[in-house]
Amino acid sequence: MNSDGQPMRQTAPWPVEISQHHSAHPPDRTVAVEAAALNKWFGSFHALKDINLAVPQGSRIVICGPSGSGKSTLIRCANGLETFQGGTIRIGGAELTGDEKQLQKIRRTVGMVFQQFNLFPHLTVMANCTLALRRVLGKSRSEAVGIAVHYLERVRIPEQAHKYPAQLSGGQQQRVAIARALCMNPRIMLFDEPTSSLDPEMVKEVLDVMIDLAADGMTMLCVTHEMGFAREAADQVVFMDQGRIVETASPATFFAAPSQERTRLFLNKMLR
Amino acid sequence: MTTVEIFVGIFEGFRVTATVTALGLLYAVPFALVFGVAQYLTKGMARLAITAVIEFWRSSAVIILLFVFYYVLPVIDIQLPAITVAAMVLGLNAGGYGSQAVRAGLQSLDRGQFEAAAALGLPRRHILALIELPQALTRMAPTFINQLIQLIKGTALVSLVTLTDMTFRAKEIAESEYNPVGVYTSLLLAYFVICYPVTVFGRWVEQRIGGRKGLTNEF
Ligand SMILES: Nc1ncnc2c1ncn2[C@@H]1O[C@H](COP(=O)(O)OP(=O)(O)OP(=O)(O)O)[C@@H](O)[C@H]1O
Ligand SMILES: [Mg+2]
């Protein structure tokens, strides 16, 4: 049972080594990601303006907003893929310093799923999933394979393990990308428009996996325009426009009674 | 001499041609890899210095480099064996071109590959060795095969530094035997006989890459 009192949806009992794997970090860090007075410039372009955002451990936050509003930039700051010029970012309490070694360590605890999947095309699905387990966490091959099989089952494609990414559909590739990130047992998962480059008929299979994850209590920071997902899984919806957070609200309030005019305009366009 | 005898006579130089090619590869491959990767990874002054070295080997005329290293260096008391000079000059010239293929291959990769690997916490050297290089090198394989053929053909120049390669043998035969048509047609044929299989191999590699996306497995 997870904290919401819902049953865990698992396809297989946890092997011993995986439950050990899962107790790797103590659950005392209450804020998974925290941005304070975050400012980011691309040259002279002010891309993020005084962003304050906390993602408590166990919460699901959805970020939406018009194209170019800075959603990707914000989420990419949260694992150091973008640098920033003002303010601070804390991951599990530790402030990002820009130090390469620290970044590597922190990134192990932050999973990321990209719009374009970014699977490694020269590696099989299994190798995509086990690469970092072996090279970063130093797991043995059999241990890594055990963990990978577990998470491939979780995203419902254990039978594709021997294939190469190009042999899979977009939806399957994105589920592999989710499994690859989950293998590292991250404290938080970042998603940047994970369904935006999928054919419509494949969106659901990926959203179902994400909703499962949410139900199991995974901390998630998710850029998406899938309002159904926001309604079902999110604790908070953050609306961004022109590099600012314009509004933060619970999904119920956000969709029914947004307080800002810009939010209303955006929702009208989205939901039309 | 019959044409067949001429052809066999020319092939007496095959050993030298093959040796220079093989030794040349020993210079070319490491140079291409190290300098291509270094150019890709560095910035500023370091990158300028690396580029200068690459350009020296790539942009100088091979024939002049051969003369300089073989006939001019002895003036300052550096006497290198002809075979060493030949392999080094031809190899580093080919390596200069190869380094650009390596760099271009690395640069052509989708930025998302690096980002996905970095997001997993992989250190830079692992990203290079396990994610970027395997993809770049597969992509560049046809170019490398072309450059190998260029290297084989380029060895014809080593006859100018006294090495008895196929071209040198052809010149020797041409001097004793007045049959320029027979001699030089045979010489053309001799290089074709060596290069054509490499071309075929290159085509096979290209098809393999085109036909199947994934080529290696982490295990
Ligand atoms: N590397 C970069 N260099 C310069 N400007 C950039 C760069 N990356 C993003 N930008 C600019 O920053 C702004 C925010 O970009 P970002 O990708 O974060 O938007 P987004 O909200 O994710 O949009 P979308 O919905 O289209 O993905 C845009 O105006 C974009 O042009
Ligand atoms: Mg974006």
Side-chain angles (χ1 to χ4, degrees):
Chain A
M1 303 282 266
N2 68 6
S3 56
D4 296 325
Q6 289 163 315
M8 303 273 271
R9 295 189 215 175
Q10 283 167 7
T11 48
W14 293 59
V16 175
E17 73 248 36
I18 290 178
S19 46
Q20 278 167 357
H21 176 69
H22 257 254
S23 62
H25 42 72
D28 60 65
R29 297 167 176 89
T30 48
V31 180
V33 173
E34 185 175 20
L38 183 68
N39 278 279
K40 156 95 191 161
W41 281 267
F42 288 110
S44 62
F45 177 74
H46 201 173
L48 294 178
K49 301 168 185 161
D50 289 320
I51 300 287
N52 291 291
L53 179 69
V55 184
Q57 198 64 55
S59 69
R60 269 81 55 186
I61 294 186
V62 161
I63 305 176
C64 61
S67 182
S69 55
K71 308 178 296 291
S72 296
T73 308
L74 174 57
I75 206 169
R76 289 160 57 84
C77 281
N79 71 345
L81 286 181
E82 297 283 359
T83 57
F84 49 92
Q85 285 75 39
T88 56
I89 291 187
R90 289 174 180 278
I91 313 277
E95 185 177 335
L96 285 188
T97 59
D99 173 68
E100 189 61 30
K101 277 272 171 295
Q102 187 219 25
L103 209 50
Q104 277 169 28
K105 246 184 146 168
I106 283 184
R107 280 170 173 163
R108 297 175 198 172
T109 68
V110 180
M112 183 151 193
V113 175
F114 301 84
Q115 183 175 347
Q116 300 299 338
F117 327 140
N118 294 346
L119 292 180
F120 307 129
H122 60 304
L123 301 179
T124 60
V125 164
M126 178 55 77
N128 264 274
C129 291
T130 54
L131 181 71
L133 285 172
R134 301 194 60 205
R135 304 288 175 156
V136 177
L137 300 184
K139 304 262 178 212
S140 72
R141 179 166 145 183
S142 61
E143 205 179 347
V145 167
I147 293 168
V149 165
H150 173 80
Y151 286 107
L152 287 171
E153 277 170 3
R154 190 115 184 247
V155 301
R156 302 172 196 143
I157 36 174
E159 72 284 359
Q160 311 286 0
H162 60 284
K163 288 195 180 167
Y164 287 92
Q167 297 169 295
L168 303 182
S169 74
Q172 290 173 324
Q173 288 189 51
Q174 193 60 301
R175 286 186 284 145
V176 172
I178 294 172
R180 177 177 71 177
L182 289 175
C183 280
M184 296 296 282
N185 184 26
R187 175 176 301 138
I188 178 172
M189 287 283 286
L190 309 175
F191 293 83
D192 190 357
E193 305 207 35
T195 57
S196 297
S197 56
L198 293 176
D199 292 336
E201 71 270 20
M202 293 171 187
V203 168
K204 187 173 179 297
E205 68 190 51
V206 171
L207 286 182
D208 283 350
V209 165
M210 291 171 61
I211 288 170
D212 266 13
L213 271 182
D216 285 353
M218 174 60 79
T219 309
M220 296 162 83
L221 180 59
C222 183
V223 176
T224 183
H225 290 146
E226 292 295 334
M227 294 305 156
F229 173 78
R231 277 207 182 86
E232 188 163 344
D235 305 312
Q236 299 248 290
V237 182
V238 171
F239 175 66
M240 287 183 72
D241 192 17
Q242 296 180 9
R244 280 184 201 286
I245 292 181
V246 175
E247 178 160 3
T248 306
S250 69
T253 315
F254 186 83
F255 292 111
S259 64
Q260 301 293 317
E261 182 58 26
R262 275 192 279 177
T263 315
R264 268 192 288 272
L265 283 172
F266 175 76
L267 284 174
N268 279 340
K269 269 192 222 153
M270 283 302 303
L271 302 174
R272 196 171 13 168
Chain B
M1 269 173 120
T2 65
T3 313
V4 172
E5 282 168 335
I6 292 172
F7 190 76
V8 171
I10 286 174
F11 247 87
E12 281 166 15
F14 174 75
R15 242 176 58 111
V16 171
T17 297
T19 308
V20 173
T21 304
L23 292 178
L25 280 176
L26 288 185
Y27 284 91
V29 173
F31 183 89
L33 279 176
V34 169
F35 279 76
V37 168
Q39 205 183 24
Y40 172 66
L41 290 180
T42 50
K43 291 192 193 76
M45 282 309 292
R47 185 173 178 162
L48 270 180
I50 287 158
T51 307
V53 175
I54 292 172
E55 287 306 320
F56 171 77
W57 288 109
R58 198 167 72 112
S59 308
S60 309
V62 172
I63 188 164
I64 300 174
L65 289 173
L66 280 175
F67 284 154
V68 167
F69 280 89
Y70 192 66
Y71 295 112
V72 179
L73 285 188
V75 174
I76 54 166
D77 259 358
I78 301 177
Q79 179 75 64
L80 298 171
I83 195 105
T84 308
V85 170
M88 183 180 78
V89 166
L90 287 162
L92 293 182
N93 178 257
Y97 282 100
S99 71
Q100 296 311 286
V102 170
R103 179 191 48 78
L106 288 167
Q107 282 176 342
S108 73
L109 295 179
D110 189 316
R111 178 86 193 146
Q113 289 292 306
F114 170 85
E115 291 182 348
L120 288 167
L122 283 162
R124 188 70 190 88
R125 62 177 196 285
H126 282 13
I127 299 176
L128 182 71
L130 302 173
I131 304 300
E132 295 179 299
L133 271 179
Q135 294 185 59
L137 294 182
T138 340
R139 216 176 265 200
M140 289 293 122
T143 311
F144 294 140
I145 304 280
N146 277 332
Q147 282 165 356
L148 171 58
I149 294 169
Q150 294 295 334
L151 176 63
I152 297 172
K153 291 190 293 191
T155 59
L157 286 173
V158 303
S159 57
L160 297 173
V161 287
T162 72
L163 289 174
T164 332
D165 74 325
M166 298 199 305
T167 305
F168 190 91
R169 282 292 298 144
K171 281 192 281 189
E172 276 183 338
I173 297 169
E175 268 162 34
S176 62
E177 201 89 4
Y178 186 74
N179 181 3
V181 177
V183 171
Y184 290 112
T185 310
S186 300
L187 183 60
L188 270 180
L189 190 68
Y191 278 98
F192 178 79
V193 164
I194 299 172
C195 290
Y196 187 67
V198 181
T199 313
V200 172
F201 172 68
R203 222 170 278 151
W204 177 78
V205 168
E206 213 165 329
Q207 272 164 4
R208 242 182 88 101
I209 295 168
R212 217 155 59 84
K213 262 282 175 301
L215 283 175
T216 54
N217 188 302
E218 211 245 315
F219 304 127

